[in-house]
Amino acid sequence: MSPSERVVIVDYGSQYTQLIARRVRELKVYCEIVPPWVETERVRAGSPGALILSGGPASVTHPEAPQINEEILDLGLPLLGICYGQQLLVQHLGGRVEPADEREYGRAELELSAADEPLFQGVPARSVVWMSHGDRVAKLPPGFRVIGTSSNSPFAAVRGPGEGIYGLQFHPEVFHSEHGTRILENFLGSVAGLRGSWTMDEFIGQQTRELTERIGDGRVICGVSGGVDSSVVAVLLHRAIGPHLHCFFVDNGLLRSGEAEEVEKIFKSDLKIPIKVIDAKDDFISRLEGAIDPEAKRVRIGHCFVEVFEREAASIPDARFLAQGTLYPDVIESVSVWGPSATIKTHHNVGGLPENMHLELVEPLRELFKDEVREVAEKLGVPDALWQRHPFPGPGLAIRVVGEVTRENLEKLRAADRIVIEEIRAAGLYAGLWQAFAVFLPVRSVGVMGDARTYENAICVRCVSSRDAMTADWADLPREVLASISNRIINEVPGINRVVYDISSKPPATIEWE
């Protein structure tokens, strides 16, 4: 990848910042997200070919609003400001931004003022775009001109003096902007001159080289969960360092039905990668005793994983590294690494690790989204049974048992979850869903079974559709499928007399309950 085949996205806290990154990646241009206070040298070191300023929830007129690094502007790169990014650019260069008389949220019609603009090649003179703003540009800086308007935004699209400086009041990255992807493609290609050469083949080659160079003669402990993330990490490492990789599958008692046996078979028979299965059920379940808060569960599980790995590492000469399948959404939701976005939850492999851990982390997938990891898996020859599986959380069923985790509740959940997956597969719906699973609820309700009164627990069924887990919508399953799932769980799982279906989207809910 040429150093210039890179875009830097400055994150001002927008809920859509990650969507910008996804759209840029889909156009085969590598991008990274940085905070507003990023040091100029960090940006310059990557030799980016363009800058994008994201939207954000703040008002640029507020004295404590995040600002722009002037030195970054002085780099002379093609620049696209989106919503807050446009307003910040305008204000910084001498224009004026003020509260809008009418806030504009949702669909609006964009009318182009200049059809020959490189940014709008192939975009109709009128099209639907997505607005989300309370402020608006009132006066342009010297040398700027209008290239697009809407009924409530006379400066919906503007162009700066010289080459390659644009501002959009709307969000081209969201699905509702009809030609938003084309606009971004025009900015990257026609304006910035980027070829779109970043592919997963290039990622595999680059990561293989970097892993080989970084690890050298060291030994790597890789915890395999059976999901696509850790499996891809294992295959990448095996390609890079061969026998210096030591894979472990920890049976923590928090797995789905038959999972340990299935994973061991695939690794040994299909991937030809040695793997050791560690029975640590008692360690994890005893560690979770009394833990009610989901954050406490995640942290305890993360600590227990590290302790198990370090115990195993003690028997391996030169073991220096711990490999994990951390993904970009894990990082975003766990810690505000890149900008002012709020922390949603701690992931056991991001924010739940002990400070005194003796192993150095190796996270080759840290900058990838889930669909990118699946593409890597397919190219690496990972069996479909692994990379086409629905995501499964690192803490396992512990965060699908709401409340305290006990062996009894885990067995009820494991049985219910198996039924959900069996019925979803039987209906031919599995591949079209992002995730489908059961949640054990620590509430009891009255029921009637065999003319007798029951007072037992409930299971919640959760099925969602998504592209990258940043947003998700509940799946409208056929009534007969839901009925079959409910009937089987109530009839086959002792201690369950009620089944409910979760119809919450993300946001405002998360995909998992904890």
Side-chain angles (χ1 to χ4, degrees):
M1 177 177 64
S2 168
S4 62
E5 287 289 305
R6 177 187 300 264
V7 171
V8 170
I9 301 171
V10 183
D11 178 20
Y12 289 98
S14 170
Q15 61 179 318
Y16 301 134
T17 299
Q18 289 75 42
L19 277 179
I20 301 173
R22 284 299 304 118
R23 299 295 176 259
V24 173
R25 299 272 188 94
E26 288 168 0
L27 294 167
K28 294 182 169 50
V29 175
Y30 181 76
C31 63
E32 59 178 321
I33 299 176
V34 301
W37 50 87
V38 63
E39 295 181 356
T40 308
E41 285 308 311
R42 176 181 169 187
V43 175
R44 184 183 289 117
S47 301
L51 294 175
I52 296 178
L53 309 182
S54 84
S59 168
V60 298
T61 61
H62 194 281
E64 296 183 2
Q67 297 299 311
I68 195 169
N69 181 341
E70 291 188 30
E71 293 181 351
I72 292 179
L73 293 183
D74 292 339
L75 295 176
L77 297 171
L79 186 149
L80 177 64
I82 297 174
C83 197
Y84 182 95
Q86 181 214 45
Q87 297 166 6
L88 187 62
L89 182 66
V90 164
Q91 179 173 274
H92 183 78
L93 295 178
R96 188 174 76 252
V97 177
E98 62 185 18
D101 294 334
E102 296 181 13
R103 296 187 175 189
E104 197 171 19
Y105 297 105
R107 290 177 176 83
E109 186 177 68
L110 173 69
E111 182 175 356
L112 301 183
S113 307
D116 60 341
E117 276 295 330
L119 190 67
F120 294 136
Q121 290 177 4
V123 178
R126 293 177 181 271
S127 65
V128 172
V129 296
W130 187 260
M131 295 283 188
S132 180
H133 63 98
D135 292 345
R136 70 174 186 179
V137 174
K139 179 184 176 182
L140 289 177
F144 274 69
R145 59 189 177 90
V146 177
I147 58 174
T149 63
S150 74
S151 60
N152 196 45
S153 294
F155 303 101
V158 301
R159 177 175 178 174
E163 297 294 328
I165 299 179
Y166 290 92
L168 303 176
Q169 182 60 77
F170 60 91
H171 289 271
E173 70 274 20
V174 304
F175 173 79
H176 303 294
S177 290
E178 288 180 325
H179 300 276
T181 299
R182 181 60 186 266
I183 292 171
L184 290 173
E185 183 179 16
N186 288 339
F187 173 71
L188 297 173
S190 301
V191 176
L194 303 179
R195 300 186 308 276
S197 60
W198 189 69
T199 65
M200 291 302 102
D201 286 320
E202 183 169 341
F203 169 83
I204 291 170
Q206 177 184 336
Q207 280 299 318
T208 302
R209 292 189 297 271
E210 291 180 359
L211 289 169
T212 302
E213 181 179 344
R214 177 185 174 189
I215 295 167
D217 293 330
R219 303 277 174 170
V220 180
I221 303 295
C222 181
V224 174
S225 68
V228 62
D229 308 333
S230 62
S231 298
V232 168
V233 169
V235 175
L236 270 175
L237 283 165
H238 192 253
R239 171 180 287 207
I241 62 174
H244 288 186
L245 172 67
H246 300 267
C247 289
F248 296 102
F249 183 89
V250 178
D251 188 348
N252 56 12
L254 308 173
L255 305 174
R256 292 170 288 197
S257 180
E259 191 149 24
E261 296 78 10
E262 180 184 6
V263 172
E264 184 177 15
K265 178 181 178 296
I266 290 176
F267 265 73
K268 289 182 177 180
S269 301
D270 298 332
L271 295 175
K272 309 300 181 185
I273 298 177
I275 186 171
K276 178 180 179 181
V277 177
I278 303 168
D279 186 349
K281 300 185 192 73
D282 292 340
D283 292 335
F284 281 84
I285 294 175
S286 62
R287 184 69 62 86
L288 287 168
E289 185 177 348
I292 303 296
D293 180 74
E295 287 296 288
K297 292 182 189 177
R298 291 175 182 272
V299 170
R300 292 188 191 188
I301 290 170
H303 286 196
C304 199
F305 266 119
V306 171
E307 290 172 10
V308 171
F309 291 144
E310 289 190 329
R311 187 167 65 228
E312 293 297 326
S315 63
I316 299 173
D318 304 322
R320 290 177 45 208
F321 302 93
L322 170 63
Q324 293 192 143
T326 306
L327 301 190
Y328 198 32
D330 298 337
V331 176
I332 295 166
E333 290 190 341
S334 297
V335 188
S336 298
V337 175
W338 306 112
S341 306
T343 298
I344 305 299
K345 59 186 176 184
T346 297
H347 287 260
H348 84 283
N349 56 347
V350 181
L353 298 178
E355 294 180 2
N356 62 346
M357 187 178 69
H358 300 300
L359 298 172
E360 184 180 342
L361 282 181
V362 174
E363 299 172 308
L365 309 182
R366 189 179 177 89
E367 298 299 326
L368 295 189
F369 290 87
K370 178 71 78 171
D371 55 330
E372 293 174 320
V373 177
R374 286 176 173 150
E375 185 179 348
V376 171
E378 187 174 16
K379 290 182 179 296
L380 287 174
V382 175
D384 294 356
L386 286 185
W387 73 263
Q388 291 183 356
R389 295 176 77 191
H390 289 174
F392 187 59
L397 297 181
I399 59 169
R400 292 179 181 173
V401 172
V402 179
E404 185 174 7
V405 178
T406 66
R407 294 179 190 271
E408 180 184 6
N409 292 344
L410 282 170
E411 287 307 314
K412 293 176 183 177
L413 176 58
R414 209 178 332 264
D417 188 76
R418 175 180 52 79
I419 291 170
V420 171
I421 298 303
E422 287 177 355
E423 291 298 319
I424 292 294
R425 286 189 183 277
L429 300 173
Y430 186 87
L433 295 173
W434 180 264
Q435 278 178 271
F437 57 90
V439 180
F440 179 87
L441 303 182
V443 294
R444 291 188 174 187
S445 63
V446 174
V448 178
M449 290 184 176
D451 296 326
R453 177 185 184 273
T454 62
Y455 187 57
E456 296 175 333
N457 289 108
I459 287 288
C460 173
V461 176
R462 177 78 159 142
C463 300
V464 300
S465 57
S466 179
R467 287 195 64 183
D468 50 31
M470 298 308 302
T471 60
D473 200 6
W474 60 277
D476 190 6
L477 297 186
R479 179 185 178 91
E480 58 271 20
V481 175
L482 290 173
S484 182
I485 290 172
S486 177
N487 289 340
R488 284 194 60 192
I489 290 175
I490 290 174
N491 287 320
E492 297 177 25
V493 183
I496 303 297
N497 68 354
R498 190 176 298 270
V499 175
V500 298
Y501 190 59
D502 186 342
I503 58 170
S504 307
S505 298
K506 175 187 179 181
T510 54
I511 295 177
E512 299 287 347
W513 273 52
E514 293 198 337

